[in-house]
């Protein structure tokens, strides 16, 4: 089982749908993910990327986390900037395009029973500030979350968009970059 899981689902989103960047997944389908079969028997720390729609936050809080048997621990924010000086990609008060995204941090019920969160001081709020890459490529917050996950860390990224060292990456995007054209053949030196 895994004791650190990052999930970046392809939420239904008008912008993604309009541009046909990648296929989306209806929210209710996420409830059928066998998350409890993936977590370590001693529990896991979970990070779920979520869009800024209030309706989606309500779905996660009232339906998804209870279905997955997760206890909310905190909300971490990714503030997107476009310059080294820190200019945001958009104004904070725009309704349709916020310059930040949220990572909901949660733990399994097993950890709550063991009072794991009291001892490891998982920050309830944290802000990461970076320049965004390609559409929907998130900063590697798993490195920061690993400090608070049970040790030794065994990490999984669901709906992964890239591969990370020492992580299991499950998703279609990493597979796109497995073609022979992305590799260079090395001739052994004598």
């Amino acid at each position: 089982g895994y004791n650190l899981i990052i999930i970046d689902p392809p939420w239904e989103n008008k912008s993604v749908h309009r541009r046909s960047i990648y296929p989306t997944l209806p929210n209710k389908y996420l409830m059928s993910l066998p998350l409890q079969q993936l977590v370590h028997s001693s529990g896991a720390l979970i990070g779920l990327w979520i869009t800024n729609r209030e309706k989606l936050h309500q779905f996660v809080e009232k339906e998804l986390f209870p279905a997955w048997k997760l206890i909310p621990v905190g909300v971490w924010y990714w503030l997107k900037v476009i310059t080294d000086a820190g200019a945001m990609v958009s104004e904070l008060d725009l309704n349709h395009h916020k310059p930040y995204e949220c990572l909901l941090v949660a733990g399994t019920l097993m950890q709550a029973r063991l009072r794991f969160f009291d001892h490891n001081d998982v920050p309830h709020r944290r802000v990461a500030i970076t320049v965004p890459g390609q559409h929907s490529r998130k900063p590697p917050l798993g490195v920061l979350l690993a400090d608070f996950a049970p040790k030794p860390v065994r990490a999984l990224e669901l709906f992964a968009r890239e591969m990370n060292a020492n992580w299991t990456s499950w998703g279609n995007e990493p597979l796109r970059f497995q073609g022979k054209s992305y590799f260079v053949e090395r001739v052994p030196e004598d």
Side-chain angles (χ1 to χ4, degrees):
Y2 297 95
N3 52 22
L4 175 58
I5 301 174
I6 301 288
I7 307 169
D8 187 8
W11 299 108
E12 291 182 305
N13 178 317
K14 288 179 186 174
S15 171
V16 171
H17 184 69
R18 232 184 344 263
R19 292 193 245 163
S20 298
I21 296 170
Y22 52 79
T24 59
L25 186 67
N27 301 343
K28 296 280 185 186
Y29 285 20
L30 292 170
M31 294 177 71
S32 65
L33 276 177
L35 195 66
Q36 290 301 315
Q37 294 173 7
L38 298 172
V39 299
H40 192 275
S41 60
S42 65
L45 188 62
I46 313 292
L48 175 68
W49 284 105
I50 186 168
T51 66
N52 291 312
R53 290 183 7 241
E54 183 59 33
K55 183 178 177 183
L56 189 54
H57 280 259
Q58 292 298 317
F59 165 73
V60 170
E61 182 182 303
K62 293 185 173 153
E63 295 182 53
L64 189 60
F65 275 6
W68 284 351
K69 298 181 175 83
L70 297 180
I71 304 294
V73 175
V75 181
W76 291 16
Y77 296 93
W78 169 34
L79 182 61
K80 304 173 194 178
V81 296
I82 54 174
T83 67
D84 291 341
M88 292 180 286
V89 295
S90 64
E91 297 298 319
L92 276 173
D93 58 358
L94 284 179
N95 285 334
H96 65 283
H97 185 64
K98 304 277 187 202
Y100 61 88
E101 290 189 42
C102 300
L103 179 76
L104 301 180
V105 181
T108 58
L109 290 174
M110 171 63 75
Q111 287 175 288
R113 280 191 219 109
L114 296 173
R115 300 184 57 81
F116 173 84
F117 301 117
D118 294 342
H119 303 300
N120 283 341
D121 298 323
V122 178
H124 297 291
R125 299 279 186 266
R126 186 168 261 189
V127 177
I129 302 172
T130 67
V131 176
Q134 293 176 343
H135 184 83
S136 204
R137 303 255 183 206
K138 308 297 191 290
L141 294 185
V143 175
L144 299 175
L145 282 169
D147 290 341
F148 308 103
K151 307 297 185 258
V153 175
R154 187 150 183 254
L156 167 68
E157 185 174 4
L158 294 174
F159 304 102
R161 293 193 172 57
E162 54 201 15
M163 296 174 132
N164 294 306
N166 302 316
W167 281 68
T168 300
S169 298
W170 180 87
N172 292 335
E173 289 296 306
L175 297 176
R176 288 178 153 186
F177 303 105
Q178 297 305 306
K180 288 173 100 178
S181 63
Y182 291 98
F183 295 91
V184 176
E185 186 175 334
R186 290 189 177 183
V187 179
E189 295 179 18
D190 291 329

